[in-house]
């Protein structure tokens, strides 16, 4: 159990949160949510002991071992994959090192033997004999079953290194696991395996994530950081979201009724206060009015941008033909004979383990790269707008303010129009004068979305549009794409985003692609049979 008592954190005289009193108990998974900057990762650091609170304390029984998902994989580059994972249980790793050092001594003494015996006993208690098998199971579940566990971590790409650090956090049955964005860079199968692992886990799990589907599947409780408070609710993310929206509506309705009653009383007082026959009633109503106060809505840190894509004109029936496209990048063939045709109104999610393949295809379709083989053709009535996965070229070495940056893409728009538009995208007041080269990742994404909305295109091509966004912005983009009447070609890691937007799934494979007119959940369920049939007919 983790007990949080009267915890507050103050930065520069401002409370990030205050008077936090919570208990985290075994057998539950807690999802920490809140707007960007609300303090999710900071609160996780307080729980882990990495950061001291301004007031209060966090109490964890000494016998409980806490495991944390590390963020810096470079720290383990010189260690083997096996050792890196076992380091998730520091005491077990320490025992292994001590044992190896003792047994390697040329003058092994009787005292060394006694020490070795003690270490062997503790080694067995910590399930040391099963350690290598347990590591292999974790690596296999995360899609690294074919990797040599005794190779150094430096031999892996960054995406696989992150998987190894996740295996490290899960290793050795710790009583408490803290995970900050664990699904980042995981493929479909790895996320599914992690969900099952956490659902069966008997300890305490506390996770920060922007993946709504993941939070819905694994969380028993939601810990909401808002109003400088941290409150805990029973249920998964959807239950919390719908409950909070309902409470907000009820509070709004309550305030509206109070305001109406106040206006009614004020009107009566004004009309009859000078009338002697009504004076007593007016006085009574004035006393009632004094007791009535409109409860102010708390200033929530949650803000939803206004994301709406409108088409300047509707596309015709012919949208896009792709025929036999192949492309090699850095000596690796990432696209191999990819063919498909886009129908009017299709909203297509491009999925698959190889992110580079999707990005490369989008770059070819938008004219940024030439294919090695094959061709494509856009319908003459289509207009395309592209959201790049890496938009740094739009912001690096650019000292334009946000409003001047956006004005490049809407030269006829008035400053007042641009200010109003940017306000809806959460850039208010002097924010619009901020240089774009100092923006955060989420702010840059909102700028790129604003740019796209200016174009009025009837085809949207979007490569990971929810990266760097908080849950509120993800929800806004999600709703905007659901409502869009044109075509969408997009790639995303967000399960719920894909499920709610796409009506067609294309998975890029080593040979061509799989193309199915179905929603994402149905595709995941059917995928094993599709793959088996594909191999059989190959």
């Amino acid at each position: 159990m983790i007990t949080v008592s009267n915890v507050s954190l103050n930065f520069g005289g401002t409370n990030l949160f205050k008077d936090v009193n919570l208990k985290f108990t075994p057998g539950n998974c807690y999802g920490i949510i809140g707007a960007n900057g609300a303090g999710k990762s900071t609160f996780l650091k307080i729980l882990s002991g990495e950061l001291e609170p301004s007031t209060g304390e966090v109490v964890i029984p000494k016998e409980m071992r806490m495991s944390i998902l590390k963020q810096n994989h470079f720290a383990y580059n010189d260690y083997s994959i096996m050792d890196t994972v076992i380091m998730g249980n520091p005491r077990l790793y320490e025992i292994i090192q001590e044992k190896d050092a003792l047994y390697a001594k040329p003058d092994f003494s009787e005292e060394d033997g006694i020490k070795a015996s003690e270490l062997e006993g503790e080694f067995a208690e910590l399930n040391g004999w099963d350690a290598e098998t347990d590591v292999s199971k974790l690596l296999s579940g995360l899609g690294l079953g074919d990797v040599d566990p005794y190779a150094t971590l430096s031999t892996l790409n960054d995406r696989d290194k992150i998987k190894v650090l996740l295996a490290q956090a899960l290793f050795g049955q710790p009583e408490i696991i803290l995970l900050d964005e664990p699904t980042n860079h995981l493929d479909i199968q790895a996320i599914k395996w992690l969900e099952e692992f956490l659902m069966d886990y008997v300890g305490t799990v506390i996770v920060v994530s922007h993946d709504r589907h993941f939070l819905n599947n694994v969380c028993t409780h939601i810990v909401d950081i808002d109003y400088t408070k941290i409150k805990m609710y029973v249920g998964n993310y959807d239950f919390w979201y719908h409950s909070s929206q309902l409470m907000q509506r009820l509070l709004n309705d309550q305030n509206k009724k109070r305001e109406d009653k106040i206006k009614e009383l004020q009107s009566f007082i004004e009309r009859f206060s000078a009338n002697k026959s009504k004076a007593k009633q007016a006085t009574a109503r004035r006393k009632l009015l004094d007791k009535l106060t409109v409860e102010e809505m708390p200033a929530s840190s949650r803000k939803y941008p206004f994301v709406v894509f409108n088409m300047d004109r509707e596309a015709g029936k012919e949208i896009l033909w792709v025929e036999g496209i192949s492309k090699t990048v850095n000596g690796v063939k990432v696209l191999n004979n990819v063919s498909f045709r886009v129908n009017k109104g299709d909203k297509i999610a491009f999925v698959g383990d190889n992110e580079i393949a999707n990005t490369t295809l989008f770059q070819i379709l938008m004219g940024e790269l030439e294919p090695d083989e094959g061709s494509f053709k856009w319908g003459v009535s289509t207009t395309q707008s592209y959201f790049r996965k890496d938009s740094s070229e739009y912001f690096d070495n650019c000292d334009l303010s946000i409003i001047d940056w956006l004005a490049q893409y809407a030269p006829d728009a008035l400053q007042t129009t641009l200010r109003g538009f940017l306000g809806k995208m959460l850039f208010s007041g002097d924010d619009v004068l901020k240089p774009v080269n100092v923006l955060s990742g989420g702010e840059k994404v909102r700028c790129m979305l604003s740019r796209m909305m200016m174009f009025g295109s009837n085809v949207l091509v979007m490569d990971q549009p929810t990266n760097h966004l908080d849950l509120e912005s993800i929800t806004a983009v999600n709703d905007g794409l659901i409502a869009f009447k044109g075509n969408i070609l997009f790639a995303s890691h967000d399960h719920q985003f894909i499920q709610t937007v796409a009506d067609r799934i294309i998975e890029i494979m080593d040979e061509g692609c799989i193309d199915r007119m179905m929603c994402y959940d149905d595709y995941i369920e059917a995928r094993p049979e599709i793959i088996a049939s594909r191999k059989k007919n190959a």
Side-chain angles (χ1 to χ4, degrees):
M1 177 185 292
I2 302 176
T3 304
V4 180
S5 302
N6 300 316
V7 163
S8 299
L9 188 66
N10 187 287
F11 281 128
T14 302
N15 280 315
L16 193 59
F17 38 77
K18 60 184 179 180
D19 304 325
V20 180
N21 294 279
L22 301 171
K23 286 186 179 180
F24 299 90
T25 56
N28 290 316
C29 179
Y30 301 86
I32 301 178
I33 63 171
N36 282 349
K40 300 184 293 295
S41 296
T42 302
F43 184 58
L44 213 60
K45 289 178 181 178
I46 289 176
L47 295 179
S48 71
E50 182 182 342
L51 186 65
E52 284 290 326
S54 302
T55 65
E57 63 177 353
V58 175
V59 177
I60 301 172
K62 291 182 179 179
E63 69 274 10
M64 285 191 169
R65 181 167 68 85
M66 176 184 287
S67 188
I68 304 165
L69 174 58
K70 305 290 196 308
Q71 301 297 325
N72 181 17
H73 54 72
F74 296 107
Y76 301 92
N77 264 351
D78 296 333
Y79 294 93
S80 71
I81 296 168
M82 178 67 69
D83 283 350
T84 300
V85 177
I86 292 177
M87 284 179 191
N89 187 336
R91 180 53 187 158
L92 177 59
Y93 182 74
E94 184 182 350
I95 289 171
I96 292 171
Q97 299 306 302
E98 289 185 41
K99 280 175 50 184
D100 291 347
L102 279 175
Y103 292 139
K105 290 178 66 173
D107 53 344
F108 189 83
S109 65
E110 182 178 348
E111 185 179 341
D112 291 331
I114 295 172
K115 179 64 175 176
S117 177
E118 293 173 352
L119 290 173
E120 290 290 2
E122 192 175 355
F123 178 79
E125 287 178 6
L126 294 174
N127 296 319
W129 296 111
D130 296 326
E132 294 189 0
T133 302
D134 292 342
V135 170
S136 296
K137 288 179 180 177
L138 289 171
L139 293 175
S140 178
L142 291 168
L144 298 178
D146 296 333
V147 170
D148 178 5
Y150 300 99
T152 60
L153 196 67
S154 60
T155 61
L156 299 181
N157 60 43
D158 287 348
R159 186 177 176 182
D160 288 343
K161 287 177 183 177
I162 293 169
K163 289 184 177 181
V164 172
L165 293 189
L166 180 55
Q168 180 191 75
L170 304 178
F171 174 75
Q173 298 179 328
E175 283 77 16
I176 301 166
I177 299 177
L178 304 186
L179 302 173
D180 195 350
E181 298 293 354
T183 61
N184 281 0
H185 308 293
L186 294 188
D187 52 61
I188 304 167
Q189 300 305 317
I191 292 175
K192 185 177 180 181
W193 177 87
L194 178 61
E195 290 173 350
E196 292 174 353
F197 181 95
L198 295 180
M199 283 189 282
D200 292 337
Y201 186 69
V202 296
T204 302
V205 180
I206 304 174
V207 57
V208 171
S209 178
H210 286 121
D211 188 329
R212 296 163 294 171
H213 186 268
F214 179 75
L215 291 174
N216 280 329
N217 280 352
V218 303
C219 289
T220 59
H221 297 71
I222 292 296
V223 178
D224 179 33
I225 304 180
D226 203 1
Y227 314 116
T228 71
K229 298 286 187 181
I230 303 182
K231 296 182 179 180
M232 184 182 294
Y233 303 88
V234 176
N236 62 12
Y237 176 77
D238 274 353
F239 185 83
W240 168 86
Y241 178 77
H242 292 300
S243 298
S244 67
Q245 294 294 301
L246 175 61
M247 289 304 296
Q248 198 81 353
R249 286 196 297 271
L250 290 174
L251 186 54
N252 282 331
D253 290 344
Q254 185 181 42
N255 285 339
K256 181 65 168 59
K257 289 176 182 177
R258 288 184 181 183
E259 287 176 341
D260 291 343
K261 186 64 175 177
I262 287 172
K263 289 177 181 178
E264 179 187 336
L265 291 170
Q266 286 175 333
S267 176
F268 184 90
I269 291 167
E270 289 171 1
R271 285 164 53 203
F272 298 108
S273 58
N275 187 326
K276 290 183 179 180
S277 65
K278 299 285 187 180
K280 286 186 179 180
Q281 294 180 44
T283 301
R285 280 166 171 73
R286 186 178 287 110
K287 289 179 180 179
L288 180 58
L289 180 61
D290 290 339
K291 294 178 182 179
L292 267 178
T293 58
V294 178
E295 183 179 344
E296 291 186 6
M297 293 288 290
S300 173
S301 59
R302 284 191 169 78
K303 296 179 180 178
Y304 292 81
F306 182 74
V307 180
V308 175
F309 297 97
N310 293 313
M311 299 181 290
D312 288 342
R313 64 170 182 171
E314 189 175 332
K317 293 183 179 180
E318 309 297 344
I319 306 297
L320 173 67
W321 298 264
V322 175
E323 186 64 39
I325 283 184
S326 297
K327 182 68 177 180
T328 297
V329 178
N330 296 327
V332 178
K333 198 165 192 176
V334 296
L335 298 174
N336 188 3
N337 195 30
V338 174
S339 300
F340 58 90
R341 178 175 176 174
V342 179
N343 308 306
K344 184 175 180 177
D346 281 348
K347 295 182 177 181
I348 307 173
F350 289 80
V351 302
D353 295 341
N354 191 348
E355 293 180 22
I356 297 175
N358 294 330
T359 298
T360 302
L361 177 62
F362 291 160
Q363 288 176 321
I364 289 172
L365 297 180
M366 297 308 297
E368 294 185 353
L369 289 177
E370 289 290 331
D372 297 334
E373 300 174 30
S375 62
F376 69 94
K377 182 182 179 182
W378 288 102
V380 293
S381 63
T382 63
T383 52
Q384 305 86 37
S385 187
Y386 181 31
F387 182 98
R388 289 168 174 79
K389 182 179 178 181
D390 179 8
S391 60
S392 57
E393 67 180 81
Y394 287 91
F395 303 99
D396 293 350
N397 304 315
C398 180
D399 56 4
L400 290 176
S401 66
I402 296 174
I403 193 167
D404 288 340
W405 181 89
L406 187 61
Q408 300 175 103
Y409 309 107
D412 297 330
L414 299 174
Q415 287 280 305
T416 52
T417 302
L418 292 173
R419 277 184 173 274
F421 184 85
L422 287 170
K424 293 179 180 179
M425 291 302 288
L426 309 186
F427 296 109
S428 58
D430 290 341
D431 286 346
V432 300
L433 304 178
K434 189 187 300 185
V436 295
N437 56 12
V438 300
L439 298 181
S440 68
E443 288 172 327
K444 289 177 181 177
V445 171
R446 283 188 274 123
C447 280
M448 293 301 293
L449 291 170
S450 300
R451 173 182 175 272
M452 289 186 73
M453 286 188 276
M454 288 288 181
F455 292 151
S457 302
N458 51 37
V459 179
L460 306 179
V461 180
M462 310 183 81
D463 194 359
Q464 304 294 341
T466 62
N467 285 359
H468 308 294
L469 293 181
D470 57 22
L471 283 168
E472 290 69 44
S473 296
I474 291 172
T475 301
V477 176
N478 201 160
D479 291 344
L481 295 185
I482 291 172
F484 182 61
K485 302 302 183 184
N487 285 87
I488 307 172
L489 284 66
F490 72 101
S492 175
H493 293 298
D494 188 313
H495 186 118
Q496 189 166 334
F497 191 83
I498 300 173
Q499 170 63 18
T500 53
V501 174
D503 54 20
R504 180 177 171 186
I505 307 296
I506 294 181
E507 181 174 0
I508 306 295
M509 309 291 287
D510 290 338
E511 296 286 340
C513 61
I514 297 174
D515 186 354
R516 292 292 185 275
M517 296 290 296
M518 58 176 60
C519 71
Y520 192 44
D521 283 343
D522 288 346
Y523 178 74
I524 291 175
E525 185 176 344
R527 187 176 183 272
E529 292 183 12
I530 294 171
I531 297 295
S533 175
R534 184 184 179 90
K535 289 179 178 178
K536 183 178 180 181
N537 297 325

